[in-house]
Amino acid sequence: MFSILFDATKCVGCRGCQVACKRWNELEAETTELGTTFTNPPDLTSNTWIYMNFMEEIAQSPEDVKISWEFTRMSCMHCDDPACVHVCPTNAISKLQEGPVIIDQSQCMGCKYCIQACPFHVPRFDEEQGVVFKCTMCADRVGVGTPPACVKSCVAGALSFDDKETILSQAKVRAAKINGIIYGEKEAGGTNVIYILPRPAGELGLREPSSESAGSYWRSLLTKISAIGLAGAAAFGVLGFIIGRRDLLMSEKEE
Amino acid sequence: MGYEWSWLVSGALFFGGLAGGSYVLAFGGYMLNEEKYRNFSKVGYLIAFPSAILCVLLLAVDLGTPTRFINIRNITSMIMLGSIILGFFMLLSLLSIIGSEESVIFPQITFARRTRLILGGFGSFFALGTVMYTALLLGASFGRPFWGTPLLPYLFLVSGVLTGLAAIGLGLLIRDDWRESFPTYKVEMTTSDISFHFLELFILILYLGTVNAPTAVEALITGELNSYFILGVLVIGLIIPLILALYSMQKKAVSNRIIGFTFALVLIGGFVLRYVIVVGGQIVPSL
């Protein structure tokens, strides 16, 4: 199984990955507006499957004004146990052996359940086509042993591609060296995109799902629902018995 | 801000709850006292079937590509399981209308008592399944912690029964011959109404107090859904109907208009409850 490694400490924010993704997947350009940061486009859409989040911080002291930048990759994490695959009623979403999680738009009925289920809030609904789109990890390239377009285009060496074990061991070595944080190893039960971050994920604008996988989350929720149901039924049973007993005693007393 | 699931899905969940709730009550009444609750049961069944149809229709209209509904085949998806449950429930609730005594639609057909009992038993099972499905559909959404609580199915269950009761009450007030039988159920209906109101309020407080989704809870209490929640769910849907129900318990002569108004408020509250939960769950912390 393959994985992508994103080392945020090496990224220069050139947006080459964004362009490469658009080119390889033949995604139309979109008119965007610059917001309060240099992040552009501002969010994922059905035509934008990856964007770099620019975090600007101004450190100001009486002598010096410094702007520091942090760049974070925003795209599908290709979960090991994808919630979108569990909930998709038409089996339009599948997890490939090589690692990518892909959507077959010809099967998608546009229920948007995958959007609700995704712990990273990645899939996007296309109003015109009535179906959902997201990053495919360039499954067509990965299938023939070629890295995804974003990885291939990365000039700073922030993105690399290899089998998951190699990627994880590289991430651990690098994180230990720079005192960084690994993101994606445990989140949502583990993913096929691993990040090395200089700071905690939440501070960089990334979602922080628990380490529970989609499957174990669902099993645990159903167990809790059943336990409450049984406890409620038992409580009503006891209450019914008490009321019944009281009525019986009262009627005996009246007689 | 646009949400992936909004009015249509909220409406579907509301009608699903209403369908299941009214069916369970209709069968419950039939089991308690067939003679006394004949009209009550009849109205309950008459509400359950079209409500279930509306639930399915609203869900289908919300689909981006409704014609691909036939592609459903993943048994682990709540949508697939829900479709099976709703399918059985629609069939059984339709048969319940057809087979009930002095049926409004098919007066010439009446099923044997034993058949009606079996039908009602299975129907109630799928009715409860329908109500639970409306909550489990949300609960299975791994990415929405506001919905991932074991209390939500029970909140929807109590709300479904409460709205079912209100809809049956309103239905009974529509036709002259049904209206005549209404006073015979009034005490039981009011008592049940008050009990379910308190139970719903209790579960709602427990739910909002324990769910691990501070952004969504904040949106309901002080944020963008605040007016819907406070006015729609608490004041219109729970507090005013509760006061009116308590008042009608004290005073015997309460006009049917006030009673009907109370039931209508309960229905509005039930719908707004689904809306704030569906939309609230999609409000996540901004990056």
Side-chain angles (χ1 to χ4, degrees):
Chain A
M1 191 175 284
F2 293 107
S3 285
I4 293 174
L5 179 65
F6 168 64
D7 187 343
T9 63
K10 289 183 182 172
C11 180
V12 294
C14 69
R15 296 193 183 98
C17 51
Q18 292 182 193
V19 177
C21 176
K22 288 261 182 193
R23 292 290 303 270
W24 181 260
N25 294 295
E26 297 176 342
L27 302 173
E28 278 181 31
E30 289 168 295
T31 308
T32 60
E33 281 177 19
L34 201 58
T36 51
T37 73
F38 277 102
T39 305
N40 193 7
D43 200 359
L44 298 173
T45 69
S46 57
N47 263 320
T48 298
W49 298 349
I50 180 173
Y51 77 93
M52 296 307 294
N53 189 41
F54 282 46
M55 287 198 76
E56 293 115 23
E57 277 191 2
I58 302 168
Q60 203 165 6
S61 66
E63 306 84 38
D64 198 11
V65 176
K66 270 187 185 169
I67 297 175
S68 67
W69 297 82
E70 304 278 11
F71 309 110
T72 326
R73 176 189 161 97
M74 298 295 189
S75 190
C76 179
M77 297 293 288
H78 298 276
C79 303
D80 289 340
D81 181 18
C84 54
V85 173
H86 280 281
V87 300
C88 178
T90 61
N91 279 339
I93 311 180
S94 52
K95 172 88 178 163
L96 303 183
Q97 269 187 336
E98 294 87 359
V101 176
I102 57 162
I103 304 177
D104 177 358
Q105 276 77 26
S106 71
Q107 293 298 308
C108 175
M109 65 176 190
C111 66
K112 295 161 267 185
Y113 209 177
C114 52
I115 299 173
Q116 309 295 2
C118 176
F120 300 101
H121 302 167
V122 167
R124 292 293 188 271
F125 181 66
D126 187 301
E127 292 285 347
E128 275 181 26
Q129 298 182 62
V131 291
V132 172
F133 289 88
K134 68 162 198 71
C135 159
T136 64
M137 206 201 249
C138 292
D140 48 350
R141 293 173 63 94
V142 172
V144 292
T146 316
C150 56
V151 177
K152 190 76 179 167
S153 73
C154 185
V155 289
L159 288 169
S160 51
F161 184 73
D162 214 319
D163 66 83
K164 191 169 180 182
E165 279 180 21
T166 311
I167 289 291
L168 267 176
S169 60
Q170 282 175 0
K172 280 172 187 166
V173 171
R174 175 75 180 151
K177 193 178 172 187
I178 62 162
N179 200 21
I181 289 160
I182 299 176
Y183 177 78
E185 184 188 10
K186 294 193 175 100
E187 281 74 14
T191 67
N192 279 92
V193 182
I194 305 292
Y195 289 20
I196 299 163
L197 303 172
R199 288 195 280 151
E203 290 178 20
L204 296 168
L206 292 162
R207 305 276 173 209
E208 291 180 295
S210 72
S211 58
E212 206 173 20
S213 72
S216 68
Y217 156 82
W218 185 226
R219 280 190 295 276
S220 146
L221 183 66
L222 286 181
T223 308
K224 286 177 196 163
I225 291 169
S226 311
I228 290 178
L230 286 174
F236 275 111
V238 170
L239 195 68
F241 176 76
I242 292 168
I243 292 168
R245 184 89 187 134
R246 188 198 62 183
D247 290 349
L248 188 75
L249 287 171
M250 278 175 78
S251 63
E252 277 176 2
K253 211 174 179 181
E254 278 171 14
E255 278 168 19
Chain B
M1 187 181 168
Y3 298 99
E4 274 79 24
W5 286 353
S6 187
W7 292 107
L8 289 171
V9 173
S10 310
L13 303 189
F14 167 73
F15 282 113
L18 176 60
S22 52
Y23 190 96
V24 167
L25 287 170
F27 184 63
Y30 177 79
M31 290 291 285
L32 274 177
N33 188 332
E34 193 181 336
E35 278 299 313
K36 182 182 173 183
Y37 288 101
R38 179 164 293 151
N39 283 342
F40 181 90
S41 296
K42 202 185 289 177
V43 174
Y45 291 142
L46 279 171
I47 289 166
F49 177 66
S51 300
I53 297 271
L54 275 171
C55 171
V56 174
L57 277 178
L58 288 172
L59 283 176
V61 171
D62 189 62
L63 294 177
T65 316
T67 49
R68 292 202 190 133
F69 188 75
I70 49 165
N71 288 357
I72 286 183
R73 63 177 72 92
N74 180 8
I75 194 72
T76 68
S77 173
M78 268 319 292
I79 291 185
M80 169 89 186
L81 287 173
S83 303
I84 296 169
I85 292 168
L86 267 163
F88 276 110
F89 178 59
M90 283 194 294
L91 177 71
L92 294 169
S93 56
L94 177 64
L95 288 174
S96 299
I97 294 175
I98 296 170
S100 63
E101 272 184 279
E102 299 161 28
S103 172
V104 184
I105 301 172
F106 300 100
Q108 67 277 25
I109 306 169
T110 304
F111 292 162
R113 193 173 185 277
R114 190 185 162 84
T115 313
R116 274 184 277 144
L117 272 174
I118 294 168
L119 194 61
F122 279 109
S124 296
F125 174 78
F126 284 103
L128 286 174
T130 301
V131 185
M132 295 303 262
Y133 157 66
T134 62
L136 291 176
L137 174 79
L138 302 181
S141 303
F142 186 43
R144 307 291 187 198
F146 189 54
W147 301 336
T149 151
L151 288 173
L152 190 61
Y154 298 101
L155 177 66
F156 277 13
L157 180 63
V158 174
S159 172
V161 173
L162 192 57
T163 52
L165 190 70
I168 294 174
L170 266 181
L172 283 168
L173 294 174
I174 290 172
R175 255 173 66 153
D176 288 343
D177 55 335
W178 293 345
R179 201 181 306 123
E180 280 166 19
S181 63
F182 183 73
T184 53
Y185 321 127
K186 200 187 147 193
V187 175
E188 287 91 337
M189 282 186 80
T190 315
T191 316
S192 311
D193 189 53
I194 293 167
S195 313
F196 283 119
H197 266 104
F198 276 117
L199 193 57
E200 186 179 327
L201 205 54
F202 171 70
I203 299 175
L204 187 62
I205 292 167
L206 204 61
Y207 169 58
L208 293 177
T210 55
V211 69
N212 185 23
T215 315
V217 175
E218 199 183 304
L220 260 68
I221 295 168
T222 55
E224 64 174 278
L225 295 170
N226 155 279
S227 50
Y228 289 105
F229 179 66
I230 305 285
L231 197 68
V233 178
L234 294 182
V235 178
I236 294 175
L238 287 170
I239 296 167
I240 297 177
L242 191 56
I243 292 168
L244 289 172
L246 287 168
Y247 174 75
S248 70
M249 279 284 278
Q250 299 298 318
K251 294 232 345 173
K252 281 184 179 169
V254 176
S255 77
N256 283 347
R257 279 191 182 176
I258 292 182
I259 293 169
F261 177 67
T262 311
F263 290 145
L265 291 184
V266 172
L267 290 175
I268 294 168
F271 175 71
V272 183
L273 174 73
R274 302 309 190 286
Y275 178 74
V276 295
I277 285 175
V278 166
V279 172
Q282 295 169 82
I283 298 174
V284 290
S286 52
L287 294 173

